């Protein structure tokens, strides 16, 4: 996602498709028509497990959320959060692809559930007085539980609970000391895993009770995902760890050193490939079997990219931004060449 565009990159041909990017009227963002595409900065994103459905949410007084097809780039559903929401802080598509869970930036950090096929809002409720950074659905079949995560708090929600007990707060007990949280994910058995600032992964049972903590990194755990029986984590020690994770047990299989002075902000796994998005703006594809790394994208990562120069004689394009980086690209062969740092 870049500004108001959703971008799908084909890494084999290094070509992209965009959701949005059409000609529009020159008018202020707060009055622009965002019924078909985003008209302001995208803040949050989630993608379905089959990688075919994407949901994106933007900033704004009454921000829009769009659900769209990653192959055709066509809109499937659009809904707006109520006025005063300020922006969409976090999003998640349910495994059944019927629902979207959203969290806004209002002082009450509302939790919203929307039915995609019926295009109907089912729930809007206060989530927390503190910022909610992440939301994730359980991947267990027919389990409609989801979790919201703040810096110091996890809540496990169950809209289908017949007892009308909508949520429970996570229970720590004596299994671990309190720490700050960064993100959360579920497995197909209903266990949840949260990433801790203490370098540990907390494992939560189906009742929201902490079962155990697992040491994963020497610094904060900054990202994690559970796919195909594996828990993949990224940390501020600039490493990726791969665990086998089933039945409430985790076993470390390997640790991969990224070899770059940056840490993973986002991570995904599919068919033996790990996709890692770094704080530096780089995206790498790592092959699990031989740990080989392929640079998919290099970009600026802080503030604005405000300078551009084209040198046709060398098929070169140079950019510069607030992150003090100069990047060179070969526009003929569609590849990144090198970077420099301004002291």
């Amino acid at each position: 996602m870049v500004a108001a565009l959703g971008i799908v990159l084909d890494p084999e041909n290094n070509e992209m498709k965009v959701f949005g990017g059409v000609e529009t009227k020159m008018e202020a963002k707060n009055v622009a028509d965002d019924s078909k595409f985003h008209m302001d900065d995208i803040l949050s994103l989630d993608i379905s497990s089959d990688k075919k459905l994407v949901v994106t949410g933007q900033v704004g007084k009454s921000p829009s959320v769009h659900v769209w097809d990653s192959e055709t780039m066509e809109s499937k559903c659009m809904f707006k959060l109520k006025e005063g929401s300020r922006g969409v802080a976090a999003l998640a598509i349910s495994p059944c692809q019927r629902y979207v869970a959203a969290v806004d930036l209002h002082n009450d950090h509302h939790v919203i559930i929307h039915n995609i096929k019926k295009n109907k809002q089912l729930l809007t409720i206060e989530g927390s007085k503190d910022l909610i950074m992440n939301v994730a659905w359980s991947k267990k079949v027919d389990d409609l539980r989801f979790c919201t995560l703040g810096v110091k708090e996890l809540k496990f929600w169950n809209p289908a609970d017949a007892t009308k007990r909508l949520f429970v707060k996570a229970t720590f007990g004596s299994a671990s000391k309190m720490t700050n949280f960064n993100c959360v994910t579920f497995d197909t058995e209903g266990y949840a895993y949260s990433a801790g600032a203490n370098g540990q992964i907390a494992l939560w049972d189906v009742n929201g009770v902490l079962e155990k903590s697992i040491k994963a990194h020497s610094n904060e755990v900054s990202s994690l995902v559970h796919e195909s029986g594996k828990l993949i984590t990224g940390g501020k020690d600039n490493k990726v760890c791969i665990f086998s994770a089933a039945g409430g047990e985790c076993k470390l299989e390997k640790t991969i050193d990224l070899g770059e002075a940056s840490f993973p902000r986002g991570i995904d796994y599919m068919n033996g490939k790990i996709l890692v998005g770094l704080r530096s703006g780089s995206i790498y594809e790592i092959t699990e079997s031989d740990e080989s790394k392929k640079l998919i994208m290099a970009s600026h990562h802080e503030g604005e990219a405000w300078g551009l120069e084209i040198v046709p004689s060398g098929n070169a394009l140079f950019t510069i931004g607030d992150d003090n980086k100069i990047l060179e690209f070969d526009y003929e062969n569609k590849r990144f060449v090198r970077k420099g740092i301004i002291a």
Side-chain angles (χ1 to χ4, degrees):
M1 54 187 181
V2 177
L5 296 179
I7 295 178
V8 175
L9 177 68
D10 174 359
E12 296 301 321
N13 300 307
N14 213 13
E15 295 178 346
M16 68 181 188
K17 300 181 291 186
V18 298
F19 175 74
V22 299
E23 185 176 345
T24 60
K25 295 179 181 179
M26 291 293 292
E27 54 188 354
K29 293 179 180 179
N30 62 328
V31 296
D33 179 14
D34 58 1
S35 61
K36 295 181 179 179
F37 306 104
H38 291 289
M39 297 300 291
D40 211 333
D41 293 350
I42 295 173
L43 296 181
S44 51
L45 174 151
D46 190 36
I47 187 167
S48 61
S49 57
D50 62 6
K51 315 305 179 190
K52 294 181 179 180
L53 202 63
V54 183
V55 59
T56 45
Q58 71 176 49
V59 70
K61 185 183 295 184
S62 180
S64 63
V65 176
H66 290 266
V67 181
W68 45 279
D69 189 302
S70 65
E71 296 178 344
T72 66
M73 312 306 284
E74 295 177 350
S75 178
K76 296 294 184 181
C77 169
M78 188 283 288
F79 60 96
K80 295 175 74 71
L81 305 190
K82 66 181 183 180
E83 190 166 329
S85 295
R86 300 176 186 165
V88 186
L91 289 165
I93 301 174
S94 65
C96 63
Q97 299 186 20
R98 293 198 302 266
Y99 308 105
V100 169
V103 179
D104 69 15
L105 289 172
H106 187 276
N107 288 345
D108 293 330
H109 302 101
H110 298 107
V111 174
I112 301 99
I113 303 298
H114 193 89
N115 186 303
I116 297 173
K117 289 182 169 51
K118 295 181 179 180
N119 201 9
K120 181 180 180 181
Q121 200 158 295
L122 305 178
L123 173 71
T124 300
I125 189 171
E126 179 182 322
S128 176
K129 293 299 183 183
D130 297 318
L131 175 67
I132 296 175
M133 304 181 297
N134 197 203
V135 58
W137 292 88
S138 170
K139 296 177 183 177
K140 185 178 180 180
V141 176
D142 296 329
D143 185 4
L144 288 177
R145 293 181 306 124
F146 64 92
C147 177
T148 55
L149 176 143
V151 176
K152 294 284 189 183
E153 181 182 70
L154 282 86
K155 285 183 179 179
F156 293 90
W157 301 73
N158 190 354
D161 190 344
T163 67
K164 304 300 181 183
R165 191 180 185 187
L166 194 56
F167 69 86
V168 295
K169 290 185 178 181
T171 304
F172 284 85
S174 58
S176 178
K177 294 181 179 179
M178 173 68 80
T179 186
N180 289 352
F181 300 113
N182 290 320
C183 48
V184 64
T185 191
F186 278 88
D187 65 18
T188 56
E189 297 176 274
Y191 289 100
Y193 306 81
S194 62
N198 57 2
Q200 296 184 351
I201 303 160
L203 189 151
W204 308 86
D205 69 14
V206 294
N207 298 309
V209 177
L210 181 64
E211 279 205 356
K212 64 181 68 175
S213 292
I214 306 129
K215 186 64 177 178
H217 294 268
S218 60
N219 205 327
E220 292 188 35
V221 183
S222 54
S223 55
L224 79 173
V225 66
H226 189 284
E227 288 290 344
S228 306
K230 295 180 184 292
L231 180 68
I232 319 292
T233 67
K236 288 190 176 181
D237 53 5
N238 303 339
K239 294 179 180 178
V240 169
C241 293
I242 303 174
F243 296 84
S244 59
E249 298 295 330
C250 293
K251 182 180 179 181
L252 180 65
E253 292 185 349
K254 66 170 61 179
T255 300
I256 301 172
D257 195 328
L258 294 173
E260 184 169 322
S262 187
F263 63 90
R265 285 296 305 272
I267 200 162
D268 204 357
Y269 178 82
M270 189 176 186
N271 298 330
K273 303 285 188 180
I274 305 168
L275 194 66
V276 184
L278 302 184
R279 177 66 178 84
S280 64
S282 298
I283 298 177
Y284 282 91
E285 182 185 82
I286 302 173
T287 301
E288 181 187 1
S289 58
D290 61 7
E291 302 181 19
S292 60
K293 295 186 282 288
K294 177 183 177 182
L295 180 65
I296 300 295
M297 190 185 79
S299 72
H300 296 283
H301 70 283
E302 194 76 52
E304 297 180 352
W306 45 261
L308 182 147
E309 179 69 22
I310 298 174
V311 183
S313 60
N315 296 328
L317 183 150
F318 294 88
T319 62
I320 190 169
D322 288 336
D323 56 4
N324 291 338
K325 290 194 298 190
I326 301 174
L327 303 182
E328 180 185 350
F329 300 89
D330 179 340
Y331 62 79
E332 185 70 25
N333 295 301
K334 302 175 184 176
R335 67 182 183 90
F336 168 72
V337 178
R338 55 182 170 171
K339 71 177 179 181
I341 305 294
I342 301 174

